[in-house]
């Protein structure tokens, strides 16, 4: 996995110009600083010969010709490819340095027309250690839970690149059925991934573990554990909800409908048959907002996660809920609606769906 894309043989179409698509390998290069012998390759489909090839390497002051017949003018950078006669050119970076993070570009000329390919080079960044948070509408005072009542938890892995992969374990055994969709948000090449968990507390439940897997972690993964202890009596009420009802009502922010960053889209359209993951968020209400989802005028029931509540020190509550569903051809042109209901009023957000094959 660490050697990753540098050793890929498969070429991926990247840039379309006229009728020719420059193929690049890899499409993205996620590497660690100091990675050795990173191959960056551009080719013309069908091995059609090229007239010349100019490359621009991040961290190198000026573009230069990449050819099997010419030495490269940059120390630590050598030619890579099958040759201009076979429509192929690229470079090998002997050692990836901090200055090399960025976009590699290649300009290939075929019968007087030029075509461009690009490869993003980004460093792997270890995420912050994962954290488990318990929903604010769950009474877990003193770290104890009521038998038979829902345990609603969220695991988050923040600011890694690429996003970490989350997995859950209860009493050392993998958890599958109680999980919601994983939602990823990417900002400036840093990914935060979240996933919700819901289960009625059972006698045998002792420890819930969330594992975040990432190549940049020293051992490949990090874990966080939530001990589960049963409360001796079930006489406690949900104090958070009870206290919130005493406060003055505060309308939450208008809901936001967010699309998971790892969802493949084409100019805002969703691929038919792919799995759509979206999240609705209403922030800082008293009491918490509740959601209704619609697809046009039809209520949506399937694919919804349990709402997750986060209470601030001021008692304001943020509500999150995810929807996971398979995109259908019939979804094209329909509107996905998340409606936030609150004693002080109702507001909604809309997403016009477009699909492609």
């Amino acid at each position: 996995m660490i050697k990753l894309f540098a050793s890929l043989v498969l070429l991926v179409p990247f840039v379309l110009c006229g009728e020719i698509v420059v193929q690049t390998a890899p499409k993205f290069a996620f590497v660690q600083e100091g990675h050795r012998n990173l191959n960056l390759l551009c080719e013309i489909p069908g091995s059609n010969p090229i007239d010349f090839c100019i490359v621009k390497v991040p961290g190198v002051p000026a573009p230069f010709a990449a050819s099997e017949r010419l030495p490269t003018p940059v120390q630590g950078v050598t030619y890579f490819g099958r040759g201009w006669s076979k429509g192929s050119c690229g470079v090998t970076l002997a050692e990836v340095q901090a200055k090399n993070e960025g976009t590699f570009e290649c300009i290939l000329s075929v019968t007087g027309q030029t075509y461009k390919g690009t490869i993003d080079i980004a460093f792997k960044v270890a995420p912050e250690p994962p954290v488990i948070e318990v929903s604010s509408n769950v009474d877990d005072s003193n770290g104890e839970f009521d038998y038979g009542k829902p345990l609603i938890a969220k695991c988050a892995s923040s600011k890694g690149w690429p996003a970490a992969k989350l997995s859950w374990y209860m009493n050392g055994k993998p958890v599958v059925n109680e999980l919601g969709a994983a939602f990823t948000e990417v900002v400036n090449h840093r990914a935060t991934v979240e996933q919700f968990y819901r289960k009625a507390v059972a006698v045998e439940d002792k420890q819930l573990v969330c594992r975040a897997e990432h190549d940049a972690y020293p051992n490949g993964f990090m874990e966080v554990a939530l001990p589960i202890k049963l409360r001796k009596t079930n006489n406690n009420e949900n104090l958070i909800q009870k206290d919130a009802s005493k406060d003055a009502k505060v309308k939450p922010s208008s809901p936001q409908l967010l699309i998971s960053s790892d969802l493949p889209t084409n100019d805002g359209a969703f691929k038919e048959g792919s799995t759509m993951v979206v999240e609705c968020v209403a922030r800082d209400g008293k009491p918490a907002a509740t959601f209704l989802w619609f697809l046009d005028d039809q209520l949506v029931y399937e694919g919804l996660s349990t709402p997750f509540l986060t209470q601030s020190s001021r008692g304001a509550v943020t509500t999150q809920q995810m929807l996971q569903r398979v995109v259908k051809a019939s979804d094209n042109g329909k509107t996905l609606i998340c409606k936030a209901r609150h004693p002080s009023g109702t507001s909604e957000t809309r997403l016009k769906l477009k699909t492609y094959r």
Side-chain angles (χ1 to χ4, degrees):
M1 199 74 168
I2 299 287
K3 293 182 179 179
L4 39 71
F5 306 106
S7 60
L8 285 180
V9 176
L10 179 64
L11 299 180
V12 185
F14 192 83
V15 176
L16 181 63
C17 181
E19 298 180 355
I20 292 180
V21 177
V22 175
Q23 296 180 315
T24 62
K27 183 177 180 181
F28 300 101
F30 293 119
V31 295
Q32 292 176 310
E33 187 173 352
H35 180 89
R36 301 189 66 83
N37 297 324
L38 174 63
N39 297 326
L40 305 169
L41 180 64
C42 298
E43 290 196 330
I44 298 297
S47 299
N48 292 323
I50 58 178
D51 306 320
F52 65 81
C53 172
I54 302 296
V55 298
K56 182 178 179 181
V57 179
V60 174
F64 59 89
S67 169
E68 72 276 23
R69 297 188 295 268
L70 299 171
T72 58
V74 182
Q75 185 176 2
V77 180
T78 55
Y79 175 80
F80 176 74
R82 297 184 297 133
W84 288 10
S85 62
K86 296 183 179 179
S88 173
C89 77
V91 298
T92 296
L93 305 185
E95 182 177 351
V96 179
Q97 303 175 28
K99 65 181 182 180
N100 299 134
E101 188 171 24
T103 301
F104 168 82
E105 298 180 0
C106 56
I107 304 294
L108 281 65
S109 174
V110 180
T111 62
Q113 296 293 319
T114 57
Y115 305 90
K116 178 180 177 181
T118 61
I119 301 172
D120 286 332
I121 303 173
F123 288 157
K124 291 183 180 180
V125 177
E128 296 175 0
V131 295
I132 290 180
E133 184 179 358
V134 177
S135 180
S136 294
N137 61 339
V138 174
D139 183 9
D140 64 331
S141 55
N142 300 320
E144 297 180 338
F145 299 86
D146 292 323
Y147 168 77
K149 290 191 175 181
L151 165 60
I152 304 170
K154 175 176 70 175
C155 182
S157 169
S158 303
K159 300 179 181 178
W161 192 248
K165 177 185 176 183
L166 300 182
S167 54
W168 296 73
Y169 300 84
M170 176 64 81
N171 304 329
K173 297 181 179 179
V175 172
V176 178
N177 297 329
E178 297 88 358
L179 298 179
F183 182 89
T184 304
E185 183 178 25
V186 175
V187 178
N188 296 327
H189 282 207
R190 296 294 180 268
T192 294
V193 58
E194 297 181 342
Q195 191 170 36
F196 298 154
Y197 167 91
R198 184 185 190 277
K199 180 182 183 294
V201 177
V203 174
E204 62 271 17
D205 295 339
K206 303 298 181 185
Q207 187 182 66
L208 178 66
V209 171
C210 175
R211 174 182 293 182
E213 299 177 27
H214 197 277
D215 288 340
Y217 283 142
N219 297 317
F221 67 90
M222 291 188 71
E223 294 181 341
V224 58
L226 176 69
I228 300 175
K229 296 184 290 184
L230 289 182
R231 189 176 285 113
K232 293 182 179 180
T233 63
N234 281 343
N235 296 326
N236 294 305
E237 297 181 9
N238 192 320
L239 300 178
I240 292 173
Q241 296 284 40
K242 185 176 179 180
D243 289 345
S245 66
K246 296 178 182 179
D247 296 336
K249 293 180 176 63
V250 177
K251 188 175 182 179
S253 65
S254 296
Q256 291 179 283
L257 201 54
L258 309 173
I259 303 171
S260 181
S261 296
D262 55 4
L263 181 66
T265 60
N266 183 6
D267 194 24
F270 301 97
K271 183 175 178 58
E272 295 172 11
S274 66
T275 300
M276 176 175 64
V277 179
V278 294
E279 181 179 62
C280 192
V281 184
R283 305 181 190 278
D284 298 330
K286 290 185 183 182
T290 58
F291 293 141
L292 284 176
W293 295 72
F294 297 86
L295 192 58
D296 281 349
D297 58 351
Q298 291 189 337
L299 268 171
V300 175
Y301 294 102
E302 295 183 0
L304 291 174
S305 70
T306 301
F308 187 90
L309 309 184
T310 306
Q311 187 178 40
S312 72
S313 58
R314 303 184 307 275
V317 181
T318 294
T319 306
Q320 298 172 258
Q321 190 173 33
M322 294 182 195
L323 170 66
Q324 179 180 18
R325 67 186 303 275
V326 176
V327 178
K328 303 175 183 177
S330 59
D331 292 337
N332 191 47
K334 292 184 178 180
T335 301
L336 180 65
I337 304 168
C338 176
K339 184 173 293 188
R341 300 189 299 174
H342 190 266
S344 61
T346 300
S347 56
E348 65 182 40
T349 181
R350 294 169 170 251
L351 175 65
K352 190 79 169 181
L353 299 181
K354 296 185 294 181
T355 67
Y356 69 97
R357 293 184 178 179

